[in-house]
Amino acid sequence: GNSVTQMEGPVTLSEEAFLTINCTYTATGYPSLFWYVQYPGEGLQLLLKATKADDKGSNKGFEATYRKETTSFHLEKGSVQVSDSAVYFCALTPLGSGTYKYIFGTGTRLKVLA
Amino acid sequence: SAVISQKPSRDICQRGTSLTIQCQVDSQVTMMFWYRQQPGQSLTLIATANQGSEATYESGFVIDKFPISRPNLTFSTLTVSNMSPEDSSIYLCSSAGTSGTDEQFFGPGTRLTVL
């Protein structure tokens, strides 16, 4: 079946540190992959996405590359800010399913210290 | 894109009562979803709500406990029935099927506390 595995948090970093949050997936075919962010007290917002192998999604300094060979979609940012403190969710939707249903990872809480 | 609002944003309810959560989308969408997010956990899909048909529930969720309405392409409600403290969660709605994209857009959530 389809599944998403994320690294466990919380992740605590100092401001301007490099961030990596690992995400690997299991799916049939070529799913679309997403990173969503949830700031405290808010709903989920799409951060970036990729729909095919080797695609790189990017937004607000965050990047993730769709790696079919390693079935991964790791989230990276070169220099984090305090305002990046949030919970990050990796998700997939199976290609061609027509259902638009998402499978979410467990979420990784990031805390950035000034 | 789609902008989604939910009402109420939060509520504190007594055991045994029911609460109806409203979800409004600013554009017509094909599919709407309802999720539950228990404290510190990921999102669990409750059901998919399609206009003109009954909602499709995921394993572990039943219509008697979580009745859903979808009267048109921009609106849906989720009722949490006969509540217990275990129902304390954030309930989120989302939409998909806009402009042929598989992206989901989420509402801000309803934080429910059951005493």
PDB file of all heavy atoms in Angstrom, chain A residues 32 34 36 38 41-44 46 49 89 93 98-102 104-107, chain B residues 31 33 35 37 41-43 45 48 58 92 96-97 101-104 106-108:
ATOM      1  N   SER A  32       2.203  12.131  -6.828  1.00  0.00           N
ATOM      2  CA  SER A  32       2.574  13.519  -6.593  1.00  0.00           C
ATOM      3  C   SER A  32       2.979  13.641  -5.133  1.00  0.00           C
ATOM      4  O   SER A  32       2.396  13.005  -4.256  1.00  0.00           O
ATOM      5  CB  SER A  32       1.398  14.452  -6.888  1.00  0.00           C
ATOM      6  OG  SER A  32       1.087  14.432  -8.261  1.00  0.00           O
ATOM      7  N   PHE A  34       4.142  16.244  -1.793  1.00  0.00           N
ATOM      8  CA  PHE A  34       3.867  17.568  -1.240  1.00  0.00           C
ATOM      9  C   PHE A  34       4.568  17.740   0.106  1.00  0.00           C
ATOM     10  O   PHE A  34       4.765  16.777   0.849  1.00  0.00           O
ATOM     11  CB  PHE A  34       2.362  17.757  -0.993  1.00  0.00           C
ATOM     12  CG  PHE A  34       1.491  17.511  -2.197  1.00  0.00           C
ATOM     13  CD1 PHE A  34       1.096  16.231  -2.527  1.00  0.00           C
ATOM     14  CD2 PHE A  34       1.072  18.566  -2.980  1.00  0.00           C
ATOM     15  CE1 PHE A  34       0.280  15.993  -3.637  1.00  0.00           C
ATOM     16  CE2 PHE A  34       0.263  18.346  -4.090  1.00  0.00           C
ATOM     17  CZ  PHE A  34      -0.121  17.055  -4.405  1.00  0.00           C
ATOM     18  N   TYR A  36       3.585  20.239   3.315  1.00  0.00           N
ATOM     19  CA  TYR A  36       2.686  21.215   3.906  1.00  0.00           C
ATOM     20  C   TYR A  36       3.289  21.698   5.217  1.00  0.00           C
ATOM     21  O   TYR A  36       4.005  20.969   5.903  1.00  0.00           O
ATOM     22  CB  TYR A  36       1.311  20.599   4.190  1.00  0.00           C
ATOM     23  CG  TYR A  36       0.394  20.567   2.993  1.00  0.00           C
ATOM     24  CD1 TYR A  36       0.522  19.577   2.027  1.00  0.00           C
ATOM     25  CD2 TYR A  36      -0.593  21.528   2.819  1.00  0.00           C
ATOM     26  CE1 TYR A  36      -0.315  19.552   0.921  1.00  0.00           C
ATOM     27  CE2 TYR A  36      -1.438  21.515   1.723  1.00  0.00           C
ATOM     28  CZ  TYR A  36      -1.287  20.525   0.777  1.00  0.00           C
ATOM     29  OH  TYR A  36      -2.120  20.505  -0.313  1.00  0.00           O
ATOM     30  N   GLN A  38       2.329  23.741   8.945  1.00  0.00           N
ATOM     31  CA  GLN A  38       1.265  24.155   9.865  1.00  0.00           C
ATOM     32  C   GLN A  38       1.877  25.021  10.940  1.00  0.00           C
ATOM     33  O   GLN A  38       2.588  24.532  11.826  1.00  0.00           O
ATOM     34  CB  GLN A  38       0.573  22.937  10.469  1.00  0.00           C
ATOM     35  CG  GLN A  38      -0.637  23.275  11.324  1.00  0.00           C
ATOM     36  CD  GLN A  38      -1.341  22.045  11.860  1.00  0.00           C
ATOM     37  OE1 GLN A  38      -0.707  21.025  12.142  1.00  0.00           O
ATOM     38  NE2 GLN A  38      -2.653  22.115  12.009  1.00  0.00           N
ATOM     39  N   GLY A  41      -1.515  27.160  15.719  1.00  0.00           N
ATOM     40  CA  GLY A  41      -2.882  27.647  15.735  1.00  0.00           C
ATOM     41  C   GLY A  41      -3.528  27.828  14.375  1.00  0.00           C
ATOM     42  O   GLY A  41      -4.630  28.372  14.277  1.00  0.00           O
ATOM     43  N   GLU A  42      -2.872  27.353  13.326  1.00  0.00           N
ATOM     44  CA  GLU A  42      -3.397  27.547  11.977  1.00  0.00           C
ATOM     45  C   GLU A  42      -3.609  26.212  11.269  1.00  0.00           C
ATOM     46  O   GLU A  42      -3.195  25.152  11.739  1.00  0.00           O
ATOM     47  CB  GLU A  42      -2.455  28.418  11.160  1.00  0.00           C
ATOM     48  CG  GLU A  42      -2.248  29.809  11.743  1.00  0.00           C
ATOM     49  CD  GLU A  42      -1.373  30.682  10.856  1.00  0.00           C
ATOM     50  OE1 GLU A  42      -1.137  30.310   9.685  1.00  0.00           O
ATOM     51  OE2 GLU A  42      -0.945  31.737  11.343  1.00  0.00           O
ATOM     52  N   GLY A  43      -4.271  26.278  10.115  1.00  0.00           N
ATOM     53  CA  GLY A  43      -4.435  25.093   9.278  1.00  0.00           C
ATOM     54  C   GLY A  43      -3.193  24.841   8.444  1.00  0.00           C
ATOM     55  O   GLY A  43      -2.181  25.526   8.584  1.00  0.00           O
ATOM     56  N   LEU A  44      -3.276  23.844   7.585  1.00  0.00           N
ATOM     57  CA  LEU A  44      -2.129  23.490   6.757  1.00  0.00           C
ATOM     58  C   LEU A  44      -2.050  24.386   5.528  1.00  0.00           C
ATOM     59  O   LEU A  44      -3.067  24.716   4.914  1.00  0.00           O
ATOM     60  CB  LEU A  44      -2.234  22.034   6.295  1.00  0.00           C
ATOM     61  CG  LEU A  44      -1.709  20.983   7.247  1.00  0.00           C
ATOM     62  CD1 LEU A  44      -2.617  20.868   8.445  1.00  0.00           C
ATOM     63  CD2 LEU A  44      -1.573  19.648   6.548  1.00  0.00           C
ATOM     64  N   LEU A  46       0.098  24.702   1.787  1.00  0.00           N
ATOM     65  CA  LEU A  46       1.023  24.048   0.875  1.00  0.00           C
ATOM     66  C   LEU A  46       2.326  24.824   0.830  1.00  0.00           C
ATOM     67  O   LEU A  46       2.344  26.034   0.598  1.00  0.00           O
ATOM     68  CB  LEU A  46       0.424  23.969  -0.527  1.00  0.00           C
ATOM     69  CG  LEU A  46       1.329  23.337  -1.581  1.00  0.00           C
ATOM     70  CD1 LEU A  46       1.559  21.860  -1.277  1.00  0.00           C
ATOM     71  CD2 LEU A  46       0.731  23.501  -2.973  1.00  0.00           C
ATOM     72  N   LYS A  49       5.577  21.428  -3.950  1.00  0.00           N
ATOM     73  CA  LYS A  49       5.154  20.134  -4.450  1.00  0.00           C
ATOM     74  C   LYS A  49       5.992  19.739  -5.660  1.00  0.00           C
ATOM     75  O   LYS A  49       6.671  20.570  -6.261  1.00  0.00           O
ATOM     76  CB  LYS A  49       3.678  20.145  -4.832  1.00  0.00           C
ATOM     77  CG  LYS A  49       3.349  21.007  -6.040  1.00  0.00           C
ATOM     78  CD  LYS A  49       1.873  20.872  -6.383  1.00  0.00           C
ATOM     79  CE  LYS A  49       1.526  21.628  -7.641  1.00  0.00           C
ATOM     80  NZ  LYS A  49       0.085  21.505  -7.983  1.00  0.00           N
ATOM     81  N   PHE A  89       4.616  18.649   7.242  1.00  0.00           N
ATOM     82  CA  PHE A  89       4.029  17.365   6.864  1.00  0.00           C
ATOM     83  C   PHE A  89       4.404  17.030   5.425  1.00  0.00           C
ATOM     84  O   PHE A  89       4.206  17.841   4.518  1.00  0.00           O
ATOM     85  CB  PHE A  89       2.499  17.405   6.952  1.00  0.00           C
ATOM     86  CG  PHE A  89       1.957  17.526   8.337  1.00  0.00           C
ATOM     87  CD1 PHE A  89       1.653  18.770   8.872  1.00  0.00           C
ATOM     88  CD2 PHE A  89       1.744  16.395   9.107  1.00  0.00           C
ATOM     89  CE1 PHE A  89       1.145  18.885  10.156  1.00  0.00           C
ATOM     90  CE2 PHE A  89       1.228  16.502  10.394  1.00  0.00           C
ATOM     91  CZ  PHE A  89       0.930  17.753  10.919  1.00  0.00           C
ATOM     92  N   THR A  93      -0.140  11.846  -3.064  1.00  0.00           N
ATOM     93  CA  THR A  93      -1.408  11.403  -3.610  1.00  0.00           C
ATOM     94  C   THR A  93      -1.094  10.513  -4.803  1.00  0.00           C
ATOM     95  O   THR A  93      -0.298  10.870  -5.654  1.00  0.00           O
ATOM     96  CB  THR A  93      -2.320  12.584  -3.990  1.00  0.00           C
ATOM     97  OG1 THR A  93      -3.580  12.067  -4.416  1.00  0.00           O
ATOM     98  CG2 THR A  93      -1.750  13.424  -5.108  1.00  0.00           C
ATOM     99  N   GLY A  98      -7.563   9.488  -9.084  1.00  0.00           N
ATOM    100  CA  GLY A  98      -8.805  10.209  -9.285  1.00  0.00           C
ATOM    101  C   GLY A  98      -9.518  10.577  -8.003  1.00  0.00           C
ATOM    102  O   GLY A  98     -10.589  11.165  -8.024  1.00  0.00           O
ATOM    103  N   THR A  99      -8.943  10.202  -6.886  1.00  0.00           N
ATOM    104  CA  THR A  99      -9.629  10.452  -5.616  1.00  0.00           C
ATOM    105  C   THR A  99      -9.120  11.707  -4.928  1.00  0.00           C
ATOM    106  O   THR A  99      -9.773  12.205  -4.031  1.00  0.00           O
ATOM    107  CB  THR A  99      -9.432   9.269  -4.651  1.00  0.00           C
ATOM    108  OG1 THR A  99      -8.052   9.199  -4.283  1.00  0.00           O
ATOM    109  CG2 THR A  99      -9.853   7.963  -5.291  1.00  0.00           C
ATOM    110  N   TYR A 100      -7.948  12.167  -5.313  1.00  0.00           N
ATOM    111  CA  TYR A 100      -7.284  13.302  -4.678  1.00  0.00           C
ATOM    112  C   TYR A 100      -7.009  13.049  -3.202  1.00  0.00           C
ATOM    113  O   TYR A 100      -6.711  13.971  -2.463  1.00  0.00           O
ATOM    114  CB  TYR A 100      -8.120  14.589  -4.812  1.00  0.00           C
ATOM    115  CG  TYR A 100      -8.370  15.003  -6.233  1.00  0.00           C
ATOM    116  CD1 TYR A 100      -9.555  14.671  -6.876  1.00  0.00           C
ATOM    117  CD2 TYR A 100      -7.414  15.719  -6.935  1.00  0.00           C
ATOM    118  CE1 TYR A 100      -9.792  15.045  -8.178  1.00  0.00           C
ATOM    119  CE2 TYR A 100      -7.643  16.105  -8.240  1.00  0.00           C
ATOM    120  CZ  TYR A 100      -8.835  15.762  -8.859  1.00  0.00           C
ATOM    121  OH  TYR A 100      -9.057  16.140 -10.147  1.00  0.00           O
ATOM    122  N   LYS A 101      -7.098  11.815  -2.771  1.00  0.00           N
ATOM    123  CA  LYS A 101      -6.868  11.537  -1.361  1.00  0.00           C
ATOM    124  C   LYS A 101      -5.394  11.622  -1.054  1.00  0.00           C
ATOM    125  O   LYS A 101      -4.557  11.143  -1.810  1.00  0.00           O
ATOM    126  CB  LYS A 101      -7.400  10.147  -1.012  1.00  0.00           C
ATOM    127  CG  LYS A 101      -8.908  10.104  -0.913  1.00  0.00           C
ATOM    128  CD  LYS A 101      -9.431   8.694  -0.823  1.00  0.00           C
ATOM    129  CE  LYS A 101      -9.025   8.014   0.448  1.00  0.00           C
ATOM    130  NZ  LYS A 101      -9.719   6.725   0.609  1.00  0.00           N
ATOM    131  N   TYR A 102      -5.080  12.224   0.068  1.00  0.00           N
ATOM    132  CA  TYR A 102      -3.702  12.370   0.501  1.00  0.00           C
ATOM    133  C   TYR A 102      -3.362  11.318   1.554  1.00  0.00           C
ATOM    134  O   TYR A 102      -4.202  10.944   2.358  1.00  0.00           O
ATOM    135  CB  TYR A 102      -3.485  13.733   1.156  1.00  0.00           C
ATOM    136  CG  TYR A 102      -3.228  14.879   0.227  1.00  0.00           C
ATOM    137  CD1 TYR A 102      -3.589  14.828  -1.100  1.00  0.00           C
ATOM    138  CD2 TYR A 102      -2.619  16.034   0.684  1.00  0.00           C
ATOM    139  CE1 TYR A 102      -3.358  15.901  -1.944  1.00  0.00           C
ATOM    140  CE2 TYR A 102      -2.370  17.108  -0.141  1.00  0.00           C
ATOM    141  CZ  TYR A 102      -2.752  17.028  -1.456  1.00  0.00           C
ATOM    142  OH  TYR A 102      -2.520  18.086  -2.285  1.00  0.00           O
ATOM    143  N   PHE A 104      -0.654  11.267   4.553  1.00  0.00           N
ATOM    144  CA  PHE A 104       0.248  12.164   5.259  1.00  0.00           C
ATOM    145  C   PHE A 104       1.262  11.390   6.089  1.00  0.00           C
ATOM    146  O   PHE A 104       0.962  10.318   6.638  1.00  0.00           O
ATOM    147  CB  PHE A 104      -0.539  13.063   6.214  1.00  0.00           C
ATOM    148  CG  PHE A 104      -1.222  14.206   5.538  1.00  0.00           C
ATOM    149  CD1 PHE A 104      -2.534  14.081   5.105  1.00  0.00           C
ATOM    150  CD2 PHE A 104      -0.563  15.410   5.335  1.00  0.00           C
ATOM    151  CE1 PHE A 104      -3.178  15.147   4.476  1.00  0.00           C
ATOM    152  CE2 PHE A 104      -1.189  16.475   4.718  1.00  0.00           C
ATOM    153  CZ  PHE A 104      -2.495  16.339   4.287  1.00  0.00           C
ATOM    154  N   GLY A 105       2.431  11.983   6.208  1.00  0.00           N
ATOM    155  CA  GLY A 105       3.378  11.516   7.207  1.00  0.00           C
ATOM    156  C   GLY A 105       2.947  12.017   8.576  1.00  0.00           C
ATOM    157  O   GLY A 105       1.960  12.746   8.718  1.00  0.00           O
ATOM    158  N   THR A 106       3.682  11.645   9.571  1.00  0.00           N
ATOM    159  CA  THR A 106       3.307  11.957  10.953  1.00  0.00           C
ATOM    160  C   THR A 106       3.607  13.393  11.351  1.00  0.00           C
ATOM    161  O   THR A 106       3.171  13.839  12.405  1.00  0.00           O
ATOM    162  CB  THR A 106       4.038  11.023  11.927  1.00  0.00           C
ATOM    163  OG1 THR A 106       5.440  11.087  11.653  1.00  0.00           O
ATOM    164  CG2 THR A 106       3.554   9.587  11.784  1.00  0.00           C
ATOM    165  N   GLY A 107       4.339  14.108  10.500  1.00  0.00           N
ATOM    166  CA  GLY A 107       4.675  15.494  10.826  1.00  0.00           C
ATOM    167  C   GLY A 107       5.975  15.587  11.610  1.00  0.00           C
ATOM    168  O   GLY A 107       6.294  14.712  12.422  1.00  0.00           O
TER     169      GLY A 107
ATOM    170  N   MET B  31     -14.298  18.012  -4.844  1.00  0.00           N
ATOM    171  CA  MET B  31     -14.228  17.146  -3.676  1.00  0.00           C
ATOM    172  C   MET B  31     -13.880  17.950  -2.431  1.00  0.00           C
ATOM    173  O   MET B  31     -13.100  18.895  -2.487  1.00  0.00           O
ATOM    174  CB  MET B  31     -13.180  16.065  -3.893  1.00  0.00           C
ATOM    175  CG  MET B  31     -13.334  15.329  -5.211  1.00  0.00           C
ATOM    176  SD  MET B  31     -12.125  14.052  -5.470  1.00  0.00           S
ATOM    177  CE  MET B  31     -12.859  12.736  -4.538  1.00  0.00           C
ATOM    178  N   PHE B  33     -12.937  17.209   1.819  1.00  0.00           N
ATOM    179  CA  PHE B  33     -12.493  16.178   2.750  1.00  0.00           C
ATOM    180  C   PHE B  33     -12.614  16.692   4.177  1.00  0.00           C
ATOM    181  O   PHE B  33     -12.439  17.878   4.429  1.00  0.00           O
ATOM    182  CB  PHE B  33     -11.029  15.812   2.490  1.00  0.00           C
ATOM    183  CG  PHE B  33     -10.759  15.328   1.092  1.00  0.00           C
ATOM    184  CD1 PHE B  33     -10.398  16.219   0.098  1.00  0.00           C
ATOM    185  CD2 PHE B  33     -10.853  13.982   0.778  1.00  0.00           C
ATOM    186  CE1 PHE B  33     -10.139  15.784  -1.196  1.00  0.00           C
ATOM    187  CE2 PHE B  33     -10.598  13.538  -0.505  1.00  0.00           C
ATOM    188  CZ  PHE B  33     -10.251  14.437  -1.487  1.00  0.00           C
ATOM    189  N   TYR B  35     -10.903  15.941   7.993  1.00  0.00           N
ATOM    190  CA  TYR B  35      -9.820  15.279   8.708  1.00  0.00           C
ATOM    191  C   TYR B  35      -9.969  15.519  10.206  1.00  0.00           C
ATOM    192  O   TYR B  35     -10.525  16.519  10.648  1.00  0.00           O
ATOM    193  CB  TYR B  35      -8.467  15.859   8.296  1.00  0.00           C
ATOM    194  CG  TYR B  35      -8.027  15.572   6.885  1.00  0.00           C
ATOM    195  CD1 TYR B  35      -8.421  16.389   5.829  1.00  0.00           C
ATOM    196  CD2 TYR B  35      -7.165  14.510   6.614  1.00  0.00           C
ATOM    197  CE1 TYR B  35      -7.987  16.151   4.538  1.00  0.00           C
ATOM    198  CE2 TYR B  35      -6.720  14.268   5.327  1.00  0.00           C
ATOM    199  CZ  TYR B  35      -7.134  15.089   4.308  1.00  0.00           C
ATOM    200  OH  TYR B  35      -6.696  14.852   3.026  1.00  0.00           O
ATOM    201  N   GLN B  37      -7.336  15.789  13.536  1.00  0.00           N
ATOM    202  CA  GLN B  37      -5.941  15.875  13.954  1.00  0.00           C
ATOM    203  C   GLN B  37      -5.914  15.894  15.468  1.00  0.00           C
ATOM    204  O   GLN B  37      -6.211  16.920  16.094  1.00  0.00           O
ATOM    205  CB  GLN B  37      -5.275  17.131  13.390  1.00  0.00           C
ATOM    206  CG  GLN B  37      -3.797  17.207  13.706  1.00  0.00           C
ATOM    207  CD  GLN B  37      -3.136  18.457  13.150  1.00  0.00           C
ATOM    208  OE1 GLN B  37      -3.790  19.456  12.874  1.00  0.00           O
ATOM    209  NE2 GLN B  37      -1.831  18.405  12.984  1.00  0.00           N
ATOM    210  N   GLN B  41      -0.498  14.854  16.718  1.00  0.00           N
ATOM    211  CA  GLN B  41      -0.483  13.765  15.741  1.00  0.00           C
ATOM    212  C   GLN B  41      -0.740  14.281  14.335  1.00  0.00           C
ATOM    213  O   GLN B  41      -1.015  15.457  14.119  1.00  0.00           O
ATOM    214  CB  GLN B  41      -1.531  12.723  16.123  1.00  0.00           C
ATOM    215  CG  GLN B  41      -1.247  12.052  17.459  1.00  0.00           C
ATOM    216  CD  GLN B  41      -2.138  10.867  17.706  1.00  0.00           C
ATOM    217  OE1 GLN B  41      -2.661  10.248  16.786  1.00  0.00           O
ATOM    218  NE2 GLN B  41      -2.330  10.530  18.970  1.00  0.00           N
ATOM    219  N   SER B  42      -0.642  13.370  13.396  1.00  0.00           N
ATOM    220  CA  SER B  42      -0.864  13.727  12.000  1.00  0.00           C
ATOM    221  C   SER B  42      -2.353  13.781  11.692  1.00  0.00           C
ATOM    222  O   SER B  42      -3.201  13.611  12.564  1.00  0.00           O
ATOM    223  CB  SER B  42      -0.168  12.714  11.106  1.00  0.00           C
ATOM    224  OG  SER B  42      -0.227  13.136   9.753  1.00  0.00           O
ATOM    225  N   LEU B  43      -2.655  14.027  10.441  1.00  0.00           N
ATOM    226  CA  LEU B  43      -4.046  14.121  10.015  1.00  0.00           C
ATOM    227  C   LEU B  43      -4.575  12.740   9.664  1.00  0.00           C
ATOM    228  O   LEU B  43      -3.905  11.967   8.966  1.00  0.00           O
ATOM    229  CB  LEU B  43      -4.153  15.016   8.784  1.00  0.00           C
ATOM    230  CG  LEU B  43      -4.112  16.510   9.015  1.00  0.00           C
ATOM    231  CD1 LEU B  43      -2.715  16.967   9.365  1.00  0.00           C
ATOM    232  CD2 LEU B  43      -4.629  17.254   7.797  1.00  0.00           C
ATOM    233  N   LEU B  45      -7.832  11.019   7.807  1.00  0.00           N
ATOM    234  CA  LEU B  45      -8.990  11.305   6.959  1.00  0.00           C
ATOM    235  C   LEU B  45     -10.224  10.628   7.535  1.00  0.00           C
ATOM    236  O   LEU B  45     -10.211   9.418   7.779  1.00  0.00           O
ATOM    237  CB  LEU B  45      -8.735  10.820   5.535  1.00  0.00           C
ATOM    238  CG  LEU B  45      -9.839  11.079   4.516  1.00  0.00           C
ATOM    239  CD1 LEU B  45     -10.054  12.568   4.307  1.00  0.00           C
ATOM    240  CD2 LEU B  45      -9.503  10.414   3.186  1.00  0.00           C
ATOM    241  N   THR B  48     -14.676  11.534   2.643  1.00  0.00           N
ATOM    242  CA  THR B  48     -14.688  12.351   1.439  1.00  0.00           C
ATOM    243  C   THR B  48     -16.127  12.735   1.157  1.00  0.00           C
ATOM    244  O   THR B  48     -17.013  11.857   1.149  1.00  0.00           O
ATOM    245  CB  THR B  48     -14.126  11.553   0.246  1.00  0.00           C
ATOM    246  OG1 THR B  48     -12.810  11.117   0.564  1.00  0.00           O
ATOM    247  CG2 THR B  48     -14.091  12.410  -1.007  1.00  0.00           C
ATOM    248  N   GLU B  58     -13.822   6.567   5.826  1.00  0.00           N
ATOM    249  CA  GLU B  58     -12.635   5.728   5.973  1.00  0.00           C
ATOM    250  C   GLU B  58     -12.861   4.708   7.090  1.00  0.00           C
ATOM    251  O   GLU B  58     -13.778   4.855   7.914  1.00  0.00           O
ATOM    252  CB  GLU B  58     -11.424   6.599   6.292  1.00  0.00           C
ATOM    253  CG  GLU B  58     -11.092   7.603   5.203  1.00  0.00           C
ATOM    254  CD  GLU B  58     -10.749   6.946   3.881  1.00  0.00           C
ATOM    255  OE1 GLU B  58      -9.842   6.083   3.854  1.00  0.00           O
ATOM    256  OE2 GLU B  58     -11.391   7.305   2.867  1.00  0.00           O
ATOM    257  N   LEU B  92     -10.409  19.446  10.493  1.00  0.00           N
ATOM    258  CA  LEU B  92     -10.026  20.258   9.336  1.00  0.00           C
ATOM    259  C   LEU B  92     -10.818  19.822   8.117  1.00  0.00           C
ATOM    260  O   LEU B  92     -11.016  18.619   7.892  1.00  0.00           O
ATOM    261  CB  LEU B  92      -8.538  20.069   9.029  1.00  0.00           C
ATOM    262  CG  LEU B  92      -7.563  20.601  10.076  1.00  0.00           C
ATOM    263  CD1 LEU B  92      -6.353  19.716  10.164  1.00  0.00           C
ATOM    264  CD2 LEU B  92      -7.142  22.004   9.710  1.00  0.00           C
ATOM    265  N   ALA B  96     -10.400  19.858  -3.039  1.00  0.00           N
ATOM    266  CA  ALA B  96      -9.527  19.467  -4.142  1.00  0.00           C
ATOM    267  C   ALA B  96     -10.341  19.444  -5.415  1.00  0.00           C
ATOM    268  O   ALA B  96     -11.566  19.453  -5.393  1.00  0.00           O
ATOM    269  CB  ALA B  96      -8.909  18.089  -3.878  1.00  0.00           C
ATOM    270  N   GLY B  97      -9.611  19.371  -6.528  1.00  0.00           N
ATOM    271  CA  GLY B  97     -10.295  19.302  -7.806  1.00  0.00           C
ATOM    272  C   GLY B  97     -10.471  20.647  -8.453  1.00  0.00           C
ATOM    273  O   GLY B  97     -11.247  20.800  -9.396  1.00  0.00           O
ATOM    274  N   THR B 101      -5.886  20.452 -10.734  1.00  0.00           N
ATOM    275  CA  THR B 101      -4.720  20.143  -9.927  1.00  0.00           C
ATOM    276  C   THR B 101      -5.084  19.158  -8.837  1.00  0.00           C
ATOM    277  O   THR B 101      -6.231  19.081  -8.421  1.00  0.00           O
ATOM    278  CB  THR B 101      -4.144  21.421  -9.300  1.00  0.00           C
ATOM    279  OG1 THR B 101      -3.061  21.075  -8.438  1.00  0.00           O
ATOM    280  CG2 THR B 101      -5.188  22.130  -8.466  1.00  0.00           C
ATOM    281  N   ASP B 102      -4.083  18.406  -8.379  1.00  0.00           N
ATOM    282  CA  ASP B 102      -4.347  17.467  -7.290  1.00  0.00           C
ATOM    283  C   ASP B 102      -4.025  18.078  -5.932  1.00  0.00           C
ATOM    284  O   ASP B 102      -3.994  17.395  -4.928  1.00  0.00           O
ATOM    285  CB  ASP B 102      -3.575  16.165  -7.492  1.00  0.00           C
ATOM    286  CG  ASP B 102      -2.086  16.408  -7.721  1.00  0.00           C
ATOM    287  OD1 ASP B 102      -1.626  17.553  -7.556  1.00  0.00           O
ATOM    288  OD2 ASP B 102      -1.395  15.439  -8.077  1.00  0.00           O
ATOM    289  N   GLU B 103      -3.796  19.361  -5.917  1.00  0.00           N
ATOM    290  CA  GLU B 103      -3.473  20.034  -4.667  1.00  0.00           C
ATOM    291  C   GLU B 103      -4.706  20.167  -3.804  1.00  0.00           C
ATOM    292  O   GLU B 103      -5.807  20.428  -4.289  1.00  0.00           O
ATOM    293  CB  GLU B 103      -2.934  21.419  -4.985  1.00  0.00           C
ATOM    294  CG  GLU B 103      -2.567  22.264  -3.782  1.00  0.00           C
ATOM    295  CD  GLU B 103      -2.010  23.610  -4.198  1.00  0.00           C
ATOM    296  OE1 GLU B 103      -1.563  23.724  -5.355  1.00  0.00           O
ATOM    297  OE2 GLU B 103      -2.047  24.540  -3.380  1.00  0.00           O
ATOM    298  N   GLN B 104      -4.527  19.986  -2.496  1.00  0.00           N
ATOM    299  CA  GLN B 104      -5.603  20.219  -1.543  1.00  0.00           C
ATOM    300  C   GLN B 104      -5.377  21.542  -0.836  1.00  0.00           C
ATOM    301  O   GLN B 104      -4.239  21.905  -0.522  1.00  0.00           O
ATOM    302  CB  GLN B 104      -5.674  19.102  -0.503  1.00  0.00           C
ATOM    303  CG  GLN B 104      -6.339  17.844  -1.002  1.00  0.00           C
ATOM    304  CD  GLN B 104      -6.673  16.874   0.109  1.00  0.00           C
ATOM    305  OE1 GLN B 104      -6.876  17.265   1.261  1.00  0.00           O
ATOM    306  NE2 GLN B 104      -6.745  15.600  -0.228  1.00  0.00           N
ATOM    307  N   PHE B 106      -6.590  23.756   2.569  1.00  0.00           N
ATOM    308  CA  PHE B 106      -7.123  23.450   3.892  1.00  0.00           C
ATOM    309  C   PHE B 106      -7.745  24.674   4.553  1.00  0.00           C
ATOM    310  O   PHE B 106      -7.258  25.800   4.396  1.00  0.00           O
ATOM    311  CB  PHE B 106      -6.014  22.915   4.795  1.00  0.00           C
ATOM    312  CG  PHE B 106      -5.629  21.503   4.477  1.00  0.00           C
ATOM    313  CD1 PHE B 106      -4.752  21.227   3.445  1.00  0.00           C
ATOM    314  CD2 PHE B 106      -6.157  20.450   5.202  1.00  0.00           C
ATOM    315  CE1 PHE B 106      -4.399  19.910   3.131  1.00  0.00           C
ATOM    316  CE2 PHE B 106      -5.817  19.141   4.902  1.00  0.00           C
ATOM    317  CZ  PHE B 106      -4.942  18.883   3.875  1.00  0.00           C
ATOM    318  N   GLY B 107      -8.777  24.402   5.324  1.00  0.00           N
ATOM    319  CA  GLY B 107      -9.328  25.404   6.200  1.00  0.00           C
ATOM    320  C   GLY B 107      -8.462  25.556   7.441  1.00  0.00           C
ATOM    321  O   GLY B 107      -7.542  24.756   7.676  1.00  0.00           O
ATOM    322  N   PRO B 108      -8.758  26.556   8.277  1.00  0.00           N
ATOM    323  CA  PRO B 108      -7.932  26.832   9.463  1.00  0.00           C
ATOM    324  C   PRO B 108      -8.164  25.852  10.597  1.00  0.00           C
ATOM    325  O   PRO B 108      -7.403  25.828  11.559  1.00  0.00           O
ATOM    326  CB  PRO B 108      -8.364  28.241   9.867  1.00  0.00           C
ATOM    327  CG  PRO B 108      -9.748  28.373   9.344  1.00  0.00           C
ATOM    328  CD  PRO B 108      -9.799  27.579   8.077  1.00  0.00           C
TER     329      PRO B 108
END
